[in-house]
Amino acid sequence: MSARVASFLDKGGTGKTTSIAHLGVALSEQGHDVLLIDLAGKQGDLAKSFGVWQGTQAAIENDDAWPNISTVFDDAWETIVEKLGDEAVEELIVQTDEGVDLIPAHPGLDTLDAELANIDDASDRYSRFKQFLDDYIDPLGYDAVLIDLPGMTTNVTYNGLWAAQNVLAPVEMGPFEAEQVGALRDDLAKVEANFNINVDLAMVLPNKVDSRTKLAGEYLDAYREEYPRAIAPKYVPSSQDIRNATEQGQSIFALDNPSGTARKARDAYRTNAEALIERVSGN
Ligand SMILES: Nc1ncnc2c1ncn2[C@@H]1O[C@H](COP(=O)(O)OP(=O)(O)OP(=O)(O)O)[C@@H](O)[C@H]1O
Ligand SMILES: [Mg+2]
């Protein structure tokens, strides 16, 4: 079985997509076969960060993006597979230039939340994605499957948490974010209690850290104290290179002349990727 991790925090813009992309590339560099899956919504951020969204977008505009990530939640998925055979899953997967494979988002994800809400049986409602990974992705033999989730709790989010059972929570250095990690821990405890599944906070990853400010240092210390087991070995500094590279459709691992902060960020992603795979494989 592949190691599975989902990035989640009930807050927008903390670096969920960026972290999935960069940890994925770091793992791939380290010799792991990696699949990234975007459940975060129709804007296709994960595919954009590898410059492979255009192809998907063209297919969507031509009404040709079928099957896609939203169809794997559907009752009809089994029928699609019967019809297309192995190609059904292959159709979903896009290759990137940076070693990782990727299943991009689709607009169908946006209506999926409401569709899932209509399924009466809670364990069916929340386990569709797990079923898909178990039956169709595990046989492909990836070492790691990293899932990007929306920055809010929807039925799609619960599917991702249920399937991955390991959460990566990127956090910024602020009071609101600190509160959100606390809320996340409570949420995960609730999921565990209600559904009798184990969801582990595998890594709290301090992101966009400006080490020159005293406040950042204080928040870092607080996170370390509050999450001694889950805290990432290294924080990711705030780096304009990360922002620019992402906008240009690549990771900072693809840069020829990385800045100092980008080199520091690369080093952090590499160390954290190793720690992450070790933590979730130990489960
Ligand atoms: N370490 C960093 N340094 C500088 N900019 C960063 C860093 N990490 C992420 N960013 C930038 O911050 C913005 C938000 O990051 P990202 O899209 O990964 O967050 P997110 O949690 O996925 O957001 P959303 O909730 O909207 O999906 C992006 O513009 C990204 O390039
Ligand atoms: Mg995102």
Side-chain angles (χ1 to χ4, degrees):
M1 195 181 130
S2 322
R4 297 176 189 168
V5 181
S7 72
F8 178 63
L9 191 71
D10 199 349
K11 162 105 179 33
T14 65
K16 294 179 291 297
T17 305
T18 307
S19 306
I20 287 289
H22 284 84
L23 291 170
V25 175
L27 285 172
S28 167
E29 255 192 12
Q30 288 159 15
H32 300 287
D33 281 327
V34 179
L35 176 68
L36 311 182
I37 304 180
D38 189 351
L39 292 184
K42 66 175 173 213
Q43 68 281 5
D45 285 345
L46 196 55
K48 278 181 195 159
S49 49
F50 290 97
V52 296
W53 179 239
Q54 277 181 338
T56 306
Q57 217 176 10
I60 291 168
E61 276 160 21
N62 295 329
D63 230 357
D64 198 20
W66 185 93
N68 60 66
I69 187 61
S70 73
T71 48
V72 310
F73 289 80
D74 215 280
D75 284 330
W77 174 247
E78 298 286 335
T79 322
I80 295 174
V81 173
E82 273 166 35
K83 201 168 140 199
L84 300 182
D86 289 345
E87 265 179 52
V89 181
E90 283 161 22
E91 282 279 327
L92 304 173
I93 301 176
V94 175
Q95 283 173 345
T96 73
D97 292 341
E98 299 198 46
V100 297
D101 287 352
L102 188 148
I103 300 183
H106 183 274
L109 285 172
D110 288 16
T111 45
L112 188 57
D113 180 42
E115 285 157 28
L116 288 168
N118 288 329
I119 300 174
D120 285 332
D121 177 51
S123 75
D124 183 19
R125 177 163 67 229
Y126 298 130
S127 67
R128 296 248 165 155
F129 187 60
K130 175 185 180 340
Q131 211 59 55
F132 165 70
L133 293 186
D134 288 354
D135 296 347
Y136 298 98
I137 297 298
D138 274 349
L140 302 180
Y142 287 102
D143 300 313
V145 175
L146 309 186
I147 303 150
D148 194 18
L149 296 181
M152 54 190 166
T153 38
T154 70
N155 291 314
V156 177
T157 308
Y158 282 125
N159 265 269
L161 295 175
W162 189 296
Q165 301 194 3
N166 289 297
V167 178
L168 162 75
V171 294
E172 292 180 62
M173 301 301 98
F176 190 64
E177 284 76 8
E179 216 174 280
Q180 291 310 107
V181 203
L184 170 61
R185 189 156 62 176
D186 296 345
D187 269 357
L188 297 182
K190 255 184 254 160
V191 172
E192 286 190 359
N194 288 344
F195 304 122
N196 201 21
I197 55 162
N198 185 51
V199 188
D200 202 34
L201 182 53
M203 186 170 279
V204 172
L205 174 54
N207 186 31
K208 305 189 196 179
V209 177
D210 182 351
S211 56
R212 292 165 306 186
T213 70
K214 185 158 167 278
L215 209 54
E218 283 169 12
Y219 277 112
L220 268 182
D221 287 343
Y223 281 122
R224 285 188 189 116
E225 200 167 307
E226 189 70 20
Y227 305 96
R229 214 170 51 88
I231 192 78
K234 292 185 179 172
Y235 69 80
V236 175
S238 174
S239 169
Q240 188 59 38
D241 263 6
I242 294 183
R243 208 172 279 277
N244 295 344
T246 301
E247 268 167 29
Q248 284 158 26
Q250 54 183 14
S251 83
I252 54 166
F253 291 100
L255 298 178
D256 289 329
N257 294 305
S259 62
T261 54
R263 282 201 305 271
K264 196 169 171 192
R266 277 186 187 179
D267 175 56
Y269 285 126
R270 286 183 179 127
T271 304
N272 294 337
E274 263 179 71
L276 184 62
I277 203 81
E278 210 175 280
R279 288 180 193 181
V280 305
S281 306
N283 278 351

